[in-house]
Amino acid sequence: MKKKKREGKGSGLFSKKFPQQDINPEESNPEGAKKKFFSIAGKILLALFLVITLFNTVYFLQEDEYGVIRTLGSTQIVETPGMKFKLPYVQHITKVSKAAKQFSVGYNLDSDDSVYGESFMITSDYNFVNVDFYFEYQITDPVKYLYAAEQPEIVVKNLAQSYIRDTVGTSKVDDVLTTGKYEIQTKVRTSLQERLEKEDIGIQVTNAVIQDAEVPTEEVKKAFKNVEDAKQGMDTAINNANADASTRIPKAEADADKIVKDANAKKESLIADAEGQTARFNSLYGEYVKFPLITKQRMFFETMEDILPGMKVYITDGKTQTLLPLEPFSSVDISNNNAKDAAAENTDSQEDADEEIPEEGDDEDVQDE
């Protein structure tokens, strides 16, 4: 009886313990499961920490970038490109572009739409204009660019608007629309750069250009267009006149130079002739002082030699009006002259004979006397 009770008890115990063979040991040991979970999570966190640490240690710089490293409040500039290293969680890197940047005043740089609140201005002669400006600037000091001003781009644009309005407000509308654009944009760029140097925010303006300048109304546009056409016509006329002058002036200068040279040559010739006559007179005077009479006679003969061949000599008795020309001896025919002389002698002898025979009237006069 006792044995059966034991078997019964044993079979009862076995029947109660048999299902416990399918229970997971980890479920039966929760503390081990927690340890394993925390072990895996720790490994994952460690891996993440190492990755983050690696990313915070290594950085890369491009050729057109500055690197500003901040270490517990102090800064350092890195300019050389390539892979760099820094202390993780202690040093922080900020990259700043070296490339030129742009901004506009009076229009949207991306959509090219007008911004009338920025472009609408008044000139010194009380005319309204719309002026659009384009600016280029570069960052020269990245530390000052990052920490000297909270929003340096906005500071630069506000200063640019101020100097644009100041310059346009002191200019005439003709200068703004036509010939004075270069002077205006140069003055704006210079004034803005001088102010940025005083503000010392690490930015330098490299270019300032008037993109467009026009009047608000169509009627004024037409009037200014007519004025511009007239100025172009004036410039064309001036250029044509300058071209004509460039061809005429050299010819006139050449003619004037020739006249001056001819006059100088004539002057030198006259001076040389006068000097020669003076030298000749001085030599004659020297001879005259030595032999006055002989020199006078020689001068007389030389003068006669110069005068007589070109003149005609007339001989008259002072009573009659008949003049007898005396031809130069070089043109006189001696044979004819001998015959004429003989005839003249016969005529003279006949006249003498006639004079010797008194006329009847003369005799009566003699008797009356």
Side-chain angles (χ1 to χ4, degrees):
M1 293 296 293
K2 293 182 180 178
K3 289 183 181 178
K4 288 182 180 179
K5 288 181 181 179
R6 291 177 181 176
E7 290 176 358
K9 290 180 180 179
S11 61
L13 291 172
F14 179 78
S15 62
K16 290 180 180 179
K17 294 180 180 179
F18 180 77
Q20 293 180 358
Q21 294 178 354
D22 295 333
I23 298 174
N24 192 346
E26 294 179 356
E27 292 179 357
S28 62
N29 190 6
E31 294 181 358
K34 289 181 180 179
K35 290 181 179 179
K36 185 176 182 181
F37 172 76
F38 283 116
S39 176
I40 295 173
K43 292 178 180 179
I44 294 173
L45 291 175
L46 180 61
L48 289 175
F49 176 78
L50 293 176
V51 171
I52 294 172
T53 303
L54 179 63
F55 277 105
N56 279 280
T57 304
V58 179
Y59 65 94
F60 295 88
L61 278 182
Q62 303 296 328
E63 291 184 357
D64 59 345
E65 289 180 335
Y66 291 108
V68 179
I69 298 178
R70 187 175 69 254
T71 306
L72 300 176
S74 64
T75 57
Q76 178 184 0
I77 299 175
V78 180
E79 298 185 14
T80 57
M83 186 175 68
K84 307 293 180 180
F85 298 94
K86 66 182 181 64
L87 296 176
Y89 310 111
V90 177
Q91 293 181 331
H92 300 276
I93 180 71
T94 303
K95 297 179 181 179
V96 179
S97 176
K98 296 180 181 178
K101 298 183 179 181
Q102 306 85 24
F103 70 92
S104 59
V105 175
Y107 70 102
N108 192 309
L109 193 61
D110 297 326
S111 62
D112 204 23
D113 295 332
S114 295
V115 182
Y116 290 102
E118 296 178 356
S119 65
F120 191 73
M121 305 177 193
I122 186 171
T123 60
S124 63
D125 50 358
Y126 302 103
N127 287 292
F128 296 104
V129 291
N130 289 326
V131 183
D132 298 337
F133 261 85
Y134 169 81
F135 290 90
E136 290 183 354
Y137 68 95
Q138 284 183 321
I139 299 171
T140 56
D141 192 330
V143 174
K144 294 179 181 177
Y145 170 77
L146 292 173
Y147 304 111
E150 184 176 356
Q151 293 178 324
E153 288 85 358
I154 296 178
V155 173
V156 174
K157 187 170 183 177
N158 290 336
L159 290 175
Q161 291 183 22
S162 175
Y163 286 112
I164 289 172
R165 293 185 179 278
D166 181 66
T167 306
V168 173
T170 56
S171 303
K172 294 183 178 180
V173 66
D174 289 339
D175 298 333
V176 176
L177 298 177
T178 56
T179 57
K181 290 183 178 180
Y182 178 78
E183 183 179 356
I184 291 173
Q185 63 193 23
T186 302
K187 185 177 179 181
V188 170
R189 183 180 62 82
T190 303
S191 301
L192 179 58
Q193 181 56 39
E194 291 177 354
R195 180 61 182 274
L196 290 176
E197 290 177 357
K198 292 180 180 179
E199 297 294 333
D200 197 19
I201 59 176
I203 293 178
Q204 179 182 7
V205 175
T206 58
N207 192 17
V209 180
I210 296 178
Q211 287 292 94
D212 192 15
E214 59 182 8
V215 291
T217 60
E218 292 296 330
E219 292 78 6
V220 180
K221 286 182 182 179
K222 292 180 181 179
F224 276 105
K225 185 177 183 301
N226 294 332
V227 172
E228 186 65 21
D229 293 339
K231 288 182 179 180
Q232 291 179 359
M234 178 188 68
D235 294 336
T236 302
I238 291 174
N239 292 333
N240 293 333
N242 291 332
D244 187 45
S246 63
T247 57
R248 291 176 177 269
I249 290 176
K251 184 177 181 301
E253 290 177 349
D255 294 340
D257 186 63
K258 183 177 180 300
I259 292 172
V260 171
K261 288 182 179 180
D262 293 342
N264 290 330
K266 183 67 176 177
K267 180 186 73 172
E268 293 176 358
S269 176
L270 293 176
I271 292 174
D273 186 31
E275 290 176 350
Q277 292 181 4
T278 302
R280 181 173 176 275
F281 178 80
N282 290 332
S283 62
L284 289 176
Y285 180 75
E287 296 296 328
Y288 174 79
V289 172
K290 295 179 182 179
F291 307 100
L293 182 60
I294 296 174
T295 305
K296 285 182 180 180
Q297 291 178 352
R298 193 182 77 178
M299 292 175 65
F300 175 77
F301 293 146
E302 290 178 354
T303 303
M304 289 298 103
E305 286 179 356
D306 294 336
I307 295 175
L308 288 178
M311 64 180 297
K312 292 183 179 181
V313 179
Y314 295 89
I315 299 176
T316 178
D317 56 359
K319 296 179 180 179
T320 62
Q321 293 182 357
T322 303
L323 301 177
L324 301 177
L326 180 62
E327 299 293 339
F329 295 106
S330 59
S331 61
V332 175
D333 189 359
I334 299 176
S335 61
N336 293 332
N337 289 337
N338 292 332
K340 290 180 180 180
D341 293 339
E345 289 178 357
N346 293 332
T347 302
D348 292 338
S349 61
Q350 184 65 34
E351 290 178 354
D352 293 339
D354 293 337
E355 291 177 356
E356 291 176 357
I357 299 175
E359 296 182 355
E360 293 180 357
D362 295 336
D363 294 338
E364 291 179 356
D365 295 334
V366 172
Q367 290 177 2
D368 293 334
E369 290 178 359

